[in-house]
Amino acid sequence: MRRPLQYLALLGYVVFLAFPMVWLLSTALKTSREMASLVPTWIPRHPILSNFADAFGEQDLVGSALRSLAVAVACSVLTIVLALPASYAMARYRSLVSRFAVGWVLVSQVFPFILIIIPLFMVLRSLGLVNTLPGLTIVHVTFVLPFALWMLQGYVRAVPRELEEAAAVDGAGRIRSLVKIVAPLLAPGVVATALFAFISSWNEFLFALVVLKDPDVATLPLTLVKFTGAEGVVRLGPLAAASLLATIPSLVFFAIIQRRLRSGLMAGAVKG
Amino acid sequence: MTLTADRTRKPAADHRGAGKRSRQGRETFVLMLPALVPVLIFSVGPLLYGIFLAFTDARSGRNAVTSFVGLSNFGDLMTDADFWASFRIGLIWAVSVTVLQFLASLGLALLLNEDLRFRSFTRVLVLVPWAMPPVVIGLMWRLVYHPNAGILNSVLTDVGLLDHNIDWLNDFSIALPAVIVVGIWTGMPQTTVVLLAGLQGVPKELYEAGHMDGASTFRRFWSITLPQLRPVIVTITSLDFVWNINQFGLVYVLTQGGPGGQTRLPMLFAYEEAFRYGFFGYAATLGVAFVIVVLAVLGLYIWRQMREAN
């Protein structure tokens, strides 16, 4: 008697989680005539792909996707460059600075964004970085950094200190042991952190809304929201298609991170 | 490379004394610097300046003259009916999303911890909302809630629960509950994953012992699972509460705070004050007031939970 009830509950969860996504897909495949009909159906009567093509033509969607891409790539590279040395120090040496960094990760969760974004906006304005992509990149990096530090120092901790010490015994210099021993073991963690930074930046809406007032520099989330502004039923198809396309990079990278996290690379390295 | 070799070396490394430690300190500082500078300039600094702004009449204009006004912003805030309306909506939103999300996620995590078919499929499915851009989540649910072309009205009409189409996001009494459902959907992945990890950490022996004593399923859940899970539950619900009370993007996309301010969460209110009307100082005051409220609520909650645990 328990099992059927459990499956029923599980089915309920699957339906709740999946139905909005199924509907998004269904909308993306419908013709504008079908959207305007008064009886919505789950399965499109005449599925089409032209909404995706239309999405590319709409409202500079490609341009804003490219800008989002540029910001997200710059954000993940910068995050790694800045966070890697610091995370090594945090994992290997106990110091006041590392404790400050950990504290900041926690504190930054509690403060409402409004307290930071107003002065940040003023700082960017005085630097002439409002309405620029570098301005948004700086903001994204700053807000990804604490969590990236936290992630990376976990990966560094997972590389046994003994490996470095053993390399030193074998006569390898400091730099050499870092490059030859630590770097390869750390690579999956670095990739995971970089992808995390990419996803955070690619998905980010609020800071973009404040920093990029000019539609000519809008990133993808901003353009998507503007898309809805004048909402005729006719345009819902391309909107759904564009939303799906915008989700793909995050979804793919997220899937990769999931796998990386499970990889048993460390176990092999220590045993070898 | 063997681990035994460097085990023997380790004691020697500990005896190198103070000279090495100060060199380590310098090294740490140099390594930390690249990360520290941006965080200080673009995050810690602005935060402190933001707290300062709360006590000024700062406006958005580039050449606006700012003067110190002491606590008068806080006085204005206390008597601002719009703020209190928004505050009330924020509390309803944050408490109901956090509680319902927790209950729903606990149920799902318990199911995923059982040996059911489709378990791995559901485990993947539950992660997807996590990866979706909040803007897309908002747009997706607008399609679901759409008064004419939306699937929700259609399904509810088909099963006979509705006899006319509802404009979910524009109805005064329904908009907030409708938005809360989206909030629950959005936050379920993190909560479920954390709770599931917690469940998997509960020692199997405890259940076996419970079984021997003839404890019922419910009894085992109540006396073994819940107490074992308590630290995890306190952590994730606290985090969820903080995230929810500071929510902005999702609701901005769904309703922009409408209809008539029925879903205007405190952060939407603050955003409008700051970037629509240009009252930087006043919006910062709201931020400071919010830090105090959030810390008080969290402190009380965590203190009570810890006292009960002892």
Side-chain angles (χ1 to χ4, degrees):
Chain A
M1 192 49 222
R2 254 183 84 201
R3 273 288 128 102
L5 280 181
Q6 287 180 333
Y7 277 110
L8 199 66
L10 195 65
L11 181 71
Y13 277 111
V14 170
V15 168
F16 177 61
L17 287 169
F19 93 92
M21 299 189 257
V22 175
W23 183 243
L24 182 67
L25 181 65
S26 163
T27 308
L29 297 175
K30 279 181 183 156
T31 60
S32 54
R33 256 187 62 201
E34 189 172 350
M35 284 306 302
S37 88
L38 287 177
V39 193
T41 51
W42 282 104
I43 299 164
R45 276 184 287 264
H46 312 285
I48 49 155
L49 288 174
S50 64
N51 283 331
F52 290 89
D54 289 352
F56 282 106
E58 282 274 353
Q59 291 248 10
D60 190 27
L61 216 62
V62 176
S64 54
L66 288 176
R67 284 189 288 275
S68 273
L69 183 70
V71 172
V73 168
C75 171
S76 41
V77 171
L78 272 173
T79 300
I80 294 299
V81 169
L82 297 176
L84 201 51
S87 62
Y88 184 83
M90 276 170 73
R92 286 289 188 255
Y93 316 123
R94 220 169 292 174
S95 80
L96 207 65
V97 202
S98 346
R99 248 172 281 159
F100 166 79
V102 175
W104 184 249
V105 175
L106 300 174
V107 169
S108 60
Q109 299 288 318
V110 179
F111 283 95
F113 78 89
I114 196 80
L115 264 188
I116 295 181
I117 200 150
I118 296 172
L120 189 58
F121 178 78
M122 295 162 93
V123 170
L124 290 177
R125 192 170 59 185
S126 63
L127 294 173
L129 288 172
V130 170
N131 274 326
T132 67
L133 297 184
L136 185 63
T137 309
I138 290 175
V139 178
H140 282 178
V141 169
T142 315
F143 283 88
V144 172
L145 257 181
F147 197 76
L149 276 173
W150 184 248
M151 262 177 101
L152 272 177
Q153 65 103 24
Y155 291 115
V156 175
R157 236 176 253 277
V159 176
R161 200 192 279 260
E162 284 82 2
L163 287 183
E164 278 178 70
E165 284 166 1
V169 175
D170 294 346
R174 189 68 196 286
I175 305 291
R176 211 172 120 82
S177 97
L178 280 179
V179 172
K180 291 274 178 192
I181 310 284
V182 180
L185 290 174
L186 214 51
V190 170
V191 171
T193 312
L195 292 182
F196 166 77
F198 183 98
I199 297 173
S200 307
S201 169
W202 177 267
N203 289 357
E204 203 282 324
F205 170 66
L206 170 61
F207 290 123
L209 181 70
V210 173
V211 174
L212 306 177
K213 291 282 173 215
D214 183 355
D216 288 343
V217 289
T219 50
L220 192 53
L222 292 176
T223 309
L224 278 177
V225 170
K226 212 174 53 194
F227 210 139
T228 24
E231 185 168 328
V233 172
V234 180
R235 284 155 48 91
L236 290 182
L239 174 66
S243 301
L244 278 174
L245 292 175
T247 309
I248 290 173
S250 306
L251 215 53
V252 170
F253 287 166
F254 195 81
I256 297 174
I257 298 185
Q258 282 302 109
R259 238 177 299 154
R260 291 281 187 201
L261 292 177
R262 270 186 248 127
S263 78
L265 188 97
M266 274 322 303
V270 179
K271 267 183 239 140
Chain B
M1 49 186 115
T2 58
L3 294 182
T4 37
D6 44 62
R7 283 273 153 68
T8 55
R9 266 191 67 87
K10 232 185 173 172
D14 292 337
H15 284 288
R16 272 182 215 159
K20 165 145 177 158
R21 223 168 289 139
S22 80
R23 198 184 63 107
Q24 243 182 32
R26 271 201 308 280
E27 201 172 289
T28 311
F29 185 72
V30 171
L31 289 171
M32 298 290 291
L33 203 60
L36 225 48
V37 168
V39 169
L40 285 176
I41 297 180
F42 295 108
S43 194
V44 180
L47 180 67
L48 296 177
Y49 189 52
I51 295 173
F52 165 75
L53 281 179
F55 303 94
T56 70
D57 62 354
R59 301 289 306 262
S60 69
R62 195 180 260 278
N63 299 316
V65 181
T66 300
S67 54
F68 191 77
V69 295
L71 290 172
S72 86
N73 281 340
F74 287 90
D76 291 348
L77 197 66
M78 290 302 113
T79 54
D80 184 342
D82 285 344
F83 163 70
W84 286 109
S86 164
F87 184 72
R88 193 183 67 92
I89 291 165
L91 274 187
I92 295 174
W93 152 270
V95 171
S96 39
V97 172
T98 306
V99 170
L100 296 173
Q101 193 172 65
F102 164 69
L103 293 176
S105 302
L106 182 63
L108 182 56
L110 285 168
L111 283 174
L112 292 179
N113 201 32
E114 296 274 322
D115 193 18
L116 297 177
R117 276 157 195 262
F118 310 114
R119 189 175 63 164
S120 32
F121 166 75
T122 318
R123 277 189 186 176
V124 173
L125 180 69
V126 76
L127 288 178
V128 175
W130 199 344
M132 287 177 94
V135 165
V136 170
I137 295 178
L139 296 178
M140 180 177 74
W141 278 90
R142 281 179 72 143
L143 294 176
V144 170
Y145 283 141
H146 199 283
N148 303 316
I151 194 67
L152 192 61
N153 276 331
S154 159
V155 166
L156 292 180
T157 308
D158 285 350
V159 296
L161 284 173
L162 277 186
D163 53 5
H164 63 284
N165 281 352
I166 292 182
D167 195 351
W168 299 91
L169 295 173
N170 280 313
D171 186 295
F172 261 65
S173 51
I174 296 177
L176 185 57
V179 170
I180 286 173
V181 170
V182 183
I184 296 167
W185 190 90
T186 309
M188 265 183 72
Q190 288 96 320
T191 314
T192 307
V193 166
V194 170
L195 289 174
L196 185 59
L199 282 175
Q200 286 166 344
V202 179
K204 295 273 178 294
E205 295 79 35
L206 290 179
Y207 290 111
E208 282 158 20
H211 221 84
M212 300 268 260
D213 297 345
S216 66
T217 313
F218 176 76
R219 178 91 205 152
R220 265 176 285 157
F221 171 74
W222 194 256
S223 325
I224 300 174
T225 313
L226 270 189
Q228 286 286 316
L229 222 51
R230 171 168 279 195
V232 176
I233 293 175
V234 173
T235 310
I236 190 65
T237 45
S238 307
L239 276 175
D240 278 341
F241 179 77
V242 174
W243 288 331
N244 285 327
I245 199 118
N246 289 333
Q247 174 61 256
F248 175 85
L250 193 64
V251 178
Y252 182 89
V253 175
L254 278 168
T255 61
Q256 296 226 333
Q262 289 302 306
T263 59
R264 193 195 282 137
L265 300 186
M267 288 309 123
L268 273 89
F269 179 78
Y271 172 83
E272 284 179 3
E273 289 295 324
F275 294 100
R276 180 174 294 173
Y277 307 119
F279 296 119
F280 278 3
Y282 191 56
T285 309
L286 190 140
V288 171
F290 244 73
V291 175
I292 297 168
V293 170
V294 168
L295 287 180
V297 171
L298 277 189
L300 193 70
Y301 173 65
I302 293 172
W303 175 72
R304 267 197 54 187
Q305 290 297 324
M306 294 218 305
R307 208 183 48 171
E308 273 175 43
N310 288 334

